Amino acid sequence: MNQPMRTLLAGAAAAAVVLTAGTAANAATTDIPKFKAPKVFGTTFQPDPKHDFTKHISSRHDGILRGLITHLSGSTAEYTPVKWKKGTMTEGQFVTPPQGVVSAYSSRIAKNVVFLSAFGCKVAEGDLTVGKKDALGNKSCSRSILLKRHKRAAHPSLITVYKGEIVKVQEIYTP
């Protein structure tokens, strides 16, 4: 076989490997089922009736939680549900369960997590990047920005858990 033909075949094989790897990565994110999202400004805490809070802290069952990442350790996040509490002087704020109510979860953050920011992709809050009809972030940012930002300050978010991992975090903008 002549040299140009070998080079052509080697290039085609390399391209096939790259395309296969890209397809596998896309398949990992597209295989996530569509879960019903909670009301963004829901006024009750979302239950997880199958979860046993008497055992060690563990992942929430598959679905979307309106919640707050309260602690990050490496690639593991602890998070808790939040609800909207209307204010008298302001529109209101998100609140966590009262002290003494055990409702925390812990999950690894997926390597290919989808992070949709309400404040752009700077570590500190930047320009608003939310949808016109809702207060949900729509700017896709990297996993490292998610980890850095949520380590600095807690932001209410829609947190999607699938197979014990956080696969999507969509921030909720609150004035």
Side-chain angles (χ1 to χ4, degrees), residues 164-175:
E165 286 190 325
I166 295 174
V167 295
K168 183 177 179 183
V169 175
Q170 188 170 20
E171 289 179 332
I172 303 170
Y173 170 72
T174 55

Side-chain angles (χ1 to χ4, degrees), residues 68-147:
L68 197 67
I69 295 176
T70 57
H71 180 74
L72 283 167
S73 177
S75 64
T76 301
E78 289 183 17
Y79 52 101
T80 188
V82 294
K83 70 176 183 177
W84 184 253
K85 183 177 180 184
K86 293 183 181 184
T88 54
M89 303 292 277
T90 64
E91 291 180 46
Q93 64 185 357
F94 281 104
V95 295
T96 58
Q99 189 172 0
V101 174
V102 180
S103 61
Y105 305 97
S106 179
S107 301
R108 276 186 339 105
I109 297 176
K111 290 191 185 303
N112 58 347
V113 65
V114 174
F115 174 42
L116 298 173
S117 169
F119 307 101
C121 292
K122 295 178 183 171
V123 174
E125 293 181 9
D127 298 328
L128 284 181
T129 53
V130 295
K132 291 181 181 180
K133 295 182 180 181
D134 57 28
L136 295 174
N138 62 14
K139 175 73 173 169
S140 183
C141 301
S142 70
R143 180 180 189 268
S144 65
I145 296 296
L146 165 68
L147 295 173

Side-chain angles (χ1 to χ4, degrees), residues 18-28 30:
V18 169
L19 288 175
T20 304
T23 303
N26 287 340
T30 56

Side-chain angles (χ1 to χ4, degrees), residues 30-48:
T30 56
D31 288 345
I32 299 168
K34 297 283 184 195
F35 297 111
K36 183 175 172 26
K39 288 184 179 180
V40 175
F41 293 97
T43 55
T44 59
F45 294 113
Q46 292 171 258
D48 187 359

Side-chain angles (χ1 to χ4, degrees), residues 31-38 61-65 159-163 167:
D31 288 345
I32 299 168
K34 297 283 184 195
F35 297 111
K36 183 175 172 26
H61 286 84
D62 292 354
I64 303 173
L65 174 71
I159 302 168
T160 304
V161 177
Y162 181 60
K163 294 185 178 179
V167 295

